[in-house]
Amino acid sequence: DVKVTQSSRYLVKRTGEKVFLECVQDMDHENMFWYRQDPGLGLRLIYFSYDVKMKEKGDIPEGYSVSREKKERFSLILESASTNQTSMYLCASSSPLGDSQPQHFGDGTRLSIL
Amino acid sequence: AQSVTQLDSHVSVSEGTPVLLRCNYSSSYSPSLFWYVQHPNKGLQLLLKYTSAATLVKGINGFEAEFKKSETSFHLTKPSAHMSDAAEYFCVVSVYNFNKFYFGSGTKLNVKP
């Protein structure tokens, strides 16, 4: 079974802090994704990566950056946290879409910025 | 362009009665379609997937979905609801050579005892 592990289930940080959210997958997937989920707004793609050191902006990249130094790990970075970044963050991984493979999700990190 | 519409934001059924969650999609290409379930404060779990093989797809926990190209629909059904089915359900479409997944807005299923 594919396992996607997010390092924290709950996280509380202060405005202005630099925040790191970590995600690790164990299935050698090429693609990894970061989403945020907010009530009434559904899932919105922040960034995705299709290979080590490769990344593409999603729909809402402002205020975020990412890092993928190793294939299994994809980090989301909030450069200077703000209260409007309080949200549920979901990481996912998948094989290349040419295989029509689904995404596999972690359990999420509920982040609160005070 | 690709898009997904989940026709009901909330569905309420009684335990033991059938479940129908509706999903329509729009795609310029042959899509792959998925249904996911999300329980409170958890990630999304894959229920089933359609990838151009059989049009009736069986998934986990007794769920199934039928791909109807003429209606551009991929509705999720279950013959008999269980209390543990109460959750939010997402319909998702992906298209080969677009490295992207398109999510519906979700349907919250309430199961009454």
Side-chain angles (χ1 to χ4, degrees):
Chain A
D1 253 6
V2 176
K3 189 150 182 70
V4 179
T5 303
Q6 294 184 233
S7 54
S8 304
R9 291 297 311 280
Y10 301 93
L11 207 52
V12 180
K13 295 292 182 180
R14 296 207 173 273
T15 303
E17 280 192 70
K18 191 169 186 176
V19 180
F20 293 84
L21 302 184
E22 306 286 348
C23 175
V24 177
Q25 51 96 1
D26 67 357
M27 282 301 292
D28 203 35
H29 282 164
E30 286 79 1
N31 297 336
M32 296 188 75
F33 305 79
W34 275 106
Y35 295 89
R36 64 177 283 177
Q37 184 178 25
D38 301 287
L41 296 176
L43 272 80
R44 293 180 292 169
L45 180 65
I46 305 171
Y47 268 97
F48 78 94
S49 169
Y50 51 90
D51 203 349
V52 175
K53 297 192 185 294
M54 306 301 288
K55 62 186 179 186
E56 283 198 22
K57 293 180 179 179
D59 302 316
I60 52 162
E62 295 78 19
Y64 303 95
S65 62
V66 290
S67 173
R68 192 155 179 213
E69 297 295 320
K70 293 185 178 181
K71 192 174 186 180
E72 67 270 19
R73 185 180 297 270
F74 192 35
S75 303
L76 179 69
I77 304 155
L78 286 64
E79 297 291 345
S80 177
S82 64
T83 55
N84 63 13
Q85 293 178 309
T86 291
S87 186
M88 174 73 139
Y89 289 87
L90 293 168
C91 176
S93 72
S94 74
S95 295
L97 281 181
D99 297 334
S100 299
Q101 292 301 308
Q103 291 177 310
H104 299 269
F105 285 84
D107 277 342
T109 296
R110 189 163 290 283
L111 175 64
S112 296
I113 306 296
L114 305 179
Chain B
Q2 280 61 238
S3 67
V4 180
T5 302
Q6 290 184 243
L7 296 161
D8 307 292
S9 59
H10 291 82
V11 170
S12 186
V13 301
S14 296
E15 191 174 22
T17 64
V19 175
L20 170 64
L21 306 181
R22 299 182 295 166
C23 172
N24 285 111
Y25 70 92
S26 172
S27 178
S28 307
Y29 303 87
S30 295
S32 294
L33 293 156
F34 312 92
W35 275 101
Y36 287 84
V37 60
Q38 185 181 33
H39 292 279
N41 292 312
K42 298 284 281 184
L44 277 69
Q45 179 187 14
L46 181 68
L47 279 178
L48 49 81
K49 65 179 183 180
Y50 166 78
T51 55
S52 76
T55 55
L56 183 63
V57 182
K58 292 189 185 299
I60 62 171
N61 301 335
F63 284 95
E64 61 182 40
E66 186 171 7
F67 174 71
K68 292 187 176 180
K69 187 175 180 179
S70 60
E71 299 176 11
T72 61
S73 69
F74 189 58
H75 301 335
L76 182 70
T77 60
K78 183 173 181 177
S80 176
H82 192 272
M83 295 297 293
S84 61
D85 295 327
E88 190 162 19
Y89 292 79
F90 292 91
C91 182
V92 181
V93 64
S94 70
V95 176
Y96 173 64
N97 83 358
F98 288 96
N99 224 358
K100 198 169 180 181
F101 293 80
Y102 299 85
F103 287 79
S105 53
T107 298
K108 287 187 177 174
L109 175 65
N110 178 44
V111 182
K112 298 175 288 187

